């Protein structure tokens, strides 16, 4: 039996067991109902254990521990059945704890098997790479490459499934980046190896090939690092972590602000916290060097960043001096000095954040024309390389120099974009865009030199074409990253009007119709459960916005308007899970989710403006803690919506993931709105002037909860689709 499919079965059985155990409390009113719950739990445990025992039979290294864990789980399931028959509440608690402990142990053992399977697949590909690197003739290379291809397919499947299981956003993004490198490098590995064998005396051909091998090994090292991170016995990071993890200037700034707020809340800072402040300041100054040392940063931005960094250092010195004075006097001192120092430090940090974002945005605007020019230069390089002669050689050298200049500029932009990225996914994307451009960018020139040396070589020509294609991909990645970060950090009002169901075809990521997929009853039940949870959150949001009626009129409160608009969108998505409402297809659902994320981003900007009015204190701290989570959830939802799918299972998985991510975002937005209301009441704050433009502020909800049916275009069928659906 496939271990990964067993792991999916585990997750399903675990949820079933947990739900059944929780149901016992709800069924306590009737003895017969309790007995049925106990029998159902025992039955679910038996099925769960059967899967575990199958894994034990297939994996001798975990067989003993897995058999013991399955035995414990089976015994705990039967104990729950006996307790339910006797209606012993106290016994139920201990039996349920024993069952969940045993189930957790089985799941951990199963996860170890999955990790081992993935690492074995990675090692198999690594050995195939070693073999490819050592072959001496083309026939042997073809056989080795065929074996390598089979291993890559298996590794791609396992890493995709592992990525779906990961909960850490950074780890998911790192696995995605590593898979991207492996996928794109495979064709370059083929062409560069062919060229190297055709022209064994060419140093440039060998450099091309060796670079591709090196990058593919680095990608597999990253997969190894992510998969083993957090496992027992592998908690240490050391130099391996330093290779993959890097802090950002924005992260250092927010960490510094958090430490300052903690000092204000505690009424000072002891020696250890003062050392932590000094360490964070050093990290911040070091990371701002990427901005000030860049040759492409304007003089005005450079001077502003340097001045603000000096101001932060001064304010922190003042804060430390006040903290030392308070400590020496035993806390008997005026808190006004501490409040003043903390306010000065946080204010300087906010100004520096705005300055860094402005500097990065200034360069990001140049990236699209830079990328276009770099692609044109690569095309010219490929054309000239196929010619021969001294004049063409001079032109080749001239264009190569210009290409290197453009490459250096684009890498600098990517470096700055990583520093202002608000989500870990974007940070990882920016980091790997920079790495891949730095490694593969110069190889375009190297491949061109090989073709210039052998102008009649078909292998060298094909190799250059493949490297030029990779160059175009990398430039497109960098341009897309710059566009997304410019959009996220844009504070200009947006005039776009929102409705609950947007017009089709407005976004390229959701405009392409997908094949219809008819979901079976189990899939509908799973989505309906998530939809019901979202409906509850939507109702809570409605109740929360109703509290604002007395605080401020709707027409002057853009926070309320946007919160209501998001609530309406969430309710429309809930209706989709029931096969009702105006969202008739999964295509409609994905478009709605995309607009939901954009509306959340605009609400984030409005609340950020509102937070500047809130005086410092525990309430503002709580508001900022909730608010800072919004960009991460927005980005995660956007990436989930944009992920391409093929086939029924993938489409259903995407629908489920979109609803889950929307639910997470709705939850944090609800907390933000609640805390805003508390701040408004506590400090008697006004809401006039808080607006991100007319988007969604048109009063109406767009989709009435009483409406049924409605328009729907072609695409994926919603749950309970019509007979025109095609089964996959």
């Amino acid at each position: 039996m496939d271990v990964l499919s067993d792991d999916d079965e585990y997750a399903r059985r675990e949820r079933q067991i947990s739900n059944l155990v929780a149901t016992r409390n709800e069924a306590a009113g009737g003895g017969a109902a309790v007995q049925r719950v106990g029998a159902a739990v025992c039955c679910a445990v038996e099925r769960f254990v059967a899967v575990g025992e199958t894994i034990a039979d297939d994996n001798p290294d975990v067989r003993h521990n897995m058999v013991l864990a399955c035995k414990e789980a089976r015994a705990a399931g039967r104990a729950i059945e006996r307790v339910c028959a006797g209606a012993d509440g106290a016994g139920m608690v201990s039996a349920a704890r024993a069952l969940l402990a045993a189930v957790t142990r089985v799941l951990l053992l199963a996860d170890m098997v999955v990790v081992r399977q993935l690492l074995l697949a990675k090692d198999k590909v690594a050995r195939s790479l070693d073999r490819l690197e050592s072959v001496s003739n083309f026939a042997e290379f073809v056989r080795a490459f065929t074996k390598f291809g089979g291993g890559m397919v298996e590794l791609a499947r396992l890493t995709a499934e592992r990525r779906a299981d990961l909960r850490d956003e950074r780890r998911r993004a790192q696995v995605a980046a590593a898979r991207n490198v492996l996928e794109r490098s495979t064709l370059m590995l083929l062409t560069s190896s062919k060229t190297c064998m055709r022209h064994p005396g060419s140093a440039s051909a060998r450099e091309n090939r060796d670079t591709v091998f090196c990058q593919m090994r680095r990608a597999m090292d990253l997969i190894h690092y992510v998969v083993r991170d957090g496992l027992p016995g592998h908690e240490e990071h050391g130099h391996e972590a330093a290779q993959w993890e890097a802090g950002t200037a924005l992260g250092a700034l927010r960490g510094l602000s958090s430490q300052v707020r903690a000092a204000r809340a505690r009424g000072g800072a002891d020696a250890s916290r003062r050392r932590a402040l000094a360490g964070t300041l050093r990290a911040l100054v070091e990371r701002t060097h990427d901005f000030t040392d860049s040759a492409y940063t304007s003089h005005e931005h450079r001077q502003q960043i340097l001045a603000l960094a000096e101001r932060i250092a001064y304010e922190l010195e003042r804060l430390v001096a006040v903290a030392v004075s308070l400590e020496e006097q035993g806390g008997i001192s005026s808190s006004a000095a501490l409040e003043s120092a903390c306010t000065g430090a946080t204010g300087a940090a906010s100004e520096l954040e705005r300055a860094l974002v402005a500097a990065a945005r200034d360069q990001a605007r140049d990236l699209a024309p830079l990328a276009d020019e770099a692609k044109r230069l690569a095309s010219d390089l490929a054309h000239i390389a196929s010619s021969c002669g001294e004049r063409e050689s001079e032109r080749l050298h001239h264009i190569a120099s210009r290409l290197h200049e453009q490459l250096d500029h684009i890498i600098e932009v990517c470096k700055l974009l990583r520093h202002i990225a608000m989500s870990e996914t974007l940070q990882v994307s920016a980091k790997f865009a920079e790495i891949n451009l730095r490694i593969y960018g110069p190889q375009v020139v190297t491949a061109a030199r090989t073709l210039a040396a052998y102008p009649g070589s078909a292998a060298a020509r094909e190799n250059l074409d493949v490297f030029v294609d990779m160059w175009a991909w990398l430039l497109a990645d960098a341009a897309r990253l710059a566009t997304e970060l410019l959009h996220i950090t844009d504070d200009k009002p947006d005039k776009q009007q929102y409705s609950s169901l947007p017009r089709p075809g407005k976004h390229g990521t959701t405009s392409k119709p997908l094949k219809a997929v008819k979901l079976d009853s189990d899939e509908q039940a799973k989505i309906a459960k998530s939809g019901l949870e979202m409906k509850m959150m939507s109702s809570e949001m409605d109740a929360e916005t109703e509290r604002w009626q007395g605080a401020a009129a709707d027409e002057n409160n853009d926070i309320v308007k946007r919160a209501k608009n998001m609530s309406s969108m969430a309710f429309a998505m809930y209706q989709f899970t029931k096969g009702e409402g105006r969202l008739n297809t999964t295509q409609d659902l994905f478009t709605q989710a995309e607009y939901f994320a954009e509306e959340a981003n605009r609400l984030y900007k409005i609340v950020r403006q509102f937070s500047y009015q809130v005086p410092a204190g525990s309430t503002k701290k709580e508001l900022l803690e909730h608010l800072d989570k919004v960009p991460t959830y927005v980005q995660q939802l956007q990436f989930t919506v944009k992920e391409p799918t093929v086939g029924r299972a993938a489409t259903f998985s995407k629908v489920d993931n979109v609803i889950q991510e929307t639910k997470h975002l709705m939850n944090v937005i609800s907390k933000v709105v609640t805390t805003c209301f508390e701040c408004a009441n506590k400090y008697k704050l006004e809401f006039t002037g808080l607006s991100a433009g007319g988007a969604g502020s048109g009063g109406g909800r767009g989709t009435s909860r009483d409406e049924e049916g409605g328009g729907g275009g072609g695409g994926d069928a919603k749950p309970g689709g019509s007979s025109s659906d095609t089964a996959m």
Side-chain angles (χ1 to χ4, degrees), residues 280-354:
T280 306
L281 177 62
R282 284 193 298 271
L284 172 61
V285 172
E286 180 181 348
R287 293 167 192 174
T288 57
H289 287 169
D290 285 340
F291 291 81
T292 56
D293 293 348
S294 173
Y296 307 99
T297 300
S298 68
H299 177 72
E300 292 77 10
H301 284 310
R302 183 179 292 109
Q303 293 301 111
Q304 185 183 20
I305 291 169
L306 289 171
L308 288 171
E310 290 179 2
R311 180 183 161 193
I312 287 179
Y314 167 76
E315 297 291 354
L316 287 180
E317 285 181 9
R318 196 157 65 97
L319 173 60
V320 168
V322 172
V324 170
S325 175
L326 287 172
E327 191 175 40
E328 290 175 349
Q329 299 175 22
I332 305 174
S333 178
S334 172
S335 62
L338 177 64
E339 180 66 25
S340 174
C342 290
T343 301
T346 54
S350 297
E351 289 187 37
L352 180 56
E353 178 178 335
R354 289 193 289 271

Side-chain angles (χ1 to χ4, degrees), residues 309 411 451 636 691:
I411 288 174
L451 180 58
Q636 192 57 47
S691 176

Side-chain angles (χ1 to χ4, degrees), residues 159-167 172 653 657:
T159 51
E161 291 171 339
R162 186 63 181 176
R163 178 176 177 265
D165 291 337
L166 291 172
R167 293 293 175 264
R172 284 200 304 270
S653 178
N657 290 338

Side-chain angles (χ1 to χ4, degrees), residues 2 44 142 173 184 300 444:
D2 190 287
V142 170
R184 291 181 175 180
E300 292 77 10
V444 178

Side-chain angles (χ1 to χ4, degrees), residues 629-665:
K629 297 176 183 177
V630 172
T632 298
Y633 284 112
V634 167
Q635 282 301 304
Q636 192 57 47
L637 177 56
Q638 289 175 332
F639 274 90
T640 302
V641 170
K642 293 176 183 178
E643 187 173 358
T645 57
V646 178
R648 165 183 168 172
T651 301
F652 165 70
S653 178
K654 180 175 178 178
V655 169
D656 187 42
N657 290 338
V658 165
I659 291 175
Q660 292 290 344
E661 295 297 342
T662 305
K663 185 176 66 175
H664 296 328
L665 180 54

Side-chain angles (χ1 to χ4, degrees), residues 442-642:
Q443 294 307 307
V444 178
V445 177
T446 303
R449 287 178 178 147
T450 304
L451 180 58
Y454 305 94
S457 172
R461 177 75 218 188
E462 181 187 16
N463 185 55
L464 176 57
D465 289 342
V466 170
F467 273 90
V468 169
D469 288 342
M470 168 61 89
W471 175 243
W473 287 335
L474 295 177
L475 292 174
D477 288 344
R480 185 164 49 250
L481 177 69
T483 300
E484 290 190 27
L485 283 170
L486 282 171
H487 174 72
I488 292 171
T489 57
D490 187 7
D491 289 329
K492 293 180 181 180
D494 194 316
K495 302 298 184 182
Q496 183 176 358
Q497 182 72 26
Y498 280 82
S499 63
S500 181
L501 178 57
R503 293 180 302 237
K506 295 298 289 182
H507 281 55
T509 57
T510 56
S511 60
K512 184 178 180 180
L514 306 175
K515 184 181 289 186
V517 177
K518 185 174 181 178
L519 306 179
D520 60 33
S521 57
D522 287 340
E523 291 169 339
Q524 290 183 27
K526 181 178 180 181
I527 295 180
K529 180 177 182 296
S530 300
L532 184 59
E533 294 172 348
M534 189 151 49
K535 180 195 175 187
M536 295 173 64
M537 291 183 185
S538 176
S539 299
E540 291 174 1
M541 178 79 81
D542 288 341
E544 192 60 44
T545 54
E546 291 299 322
R547 295 172 59 193
W548 291 63
Q549 297 294 335
D554 277 355
E555 58 268 23
N556 296 325
N557 192 337
D558 213 30
I559 295 178
V560 169
K561 294 175 186 177
R562 293 185 182 278
K564 286 184 175 182
N565 201 24
M566 292 182 67
S567 175
S568 177
M569 293 183 187
F571 186 81
M573 296 172 76
Y574 156 71
Q575 287 183 309
F576 171 84
T577 65
K578 296 176 63 183
E580 302 171 355
R582 297 181 61 190
L583 302 183
N584 283 354
T585 68
T586 53
Q587 179 67 41
D588 291 339
L589 177 74
F590 299 152
T591 306
Q592 182 77 97
E594 197 170 11
Y595 273 78
F596 185 92
E598 292 178 5
E599 189 75 339
N601 193 41
R602 286 168 172 79
L603 179 62
Y604 165 82
K605 294 176 184 177
I606 295 170
V607 177
R608 177 65 70 180
Q609 294 178 39
F610 171 74
S611 69
Y612 298 148
Q613 303 180 30
V614 181
S618 59
T619 311
K620 182 172 183 177
K621 178 182 178 182
E622 182 183 0
L623 174 62
L624 293 176
E625 286 176 350
H626 293 318
L627 189 61
D628 287 343
K629 297 176 183 177
V630 172
T632 298
Y633 284 112
V634 167
Q635 282 301 304
Q636 192 57 47
L637 177 56
Q638 289 175 332
F639 274 90
T640 302
V641 170
K642 293 176 183 178

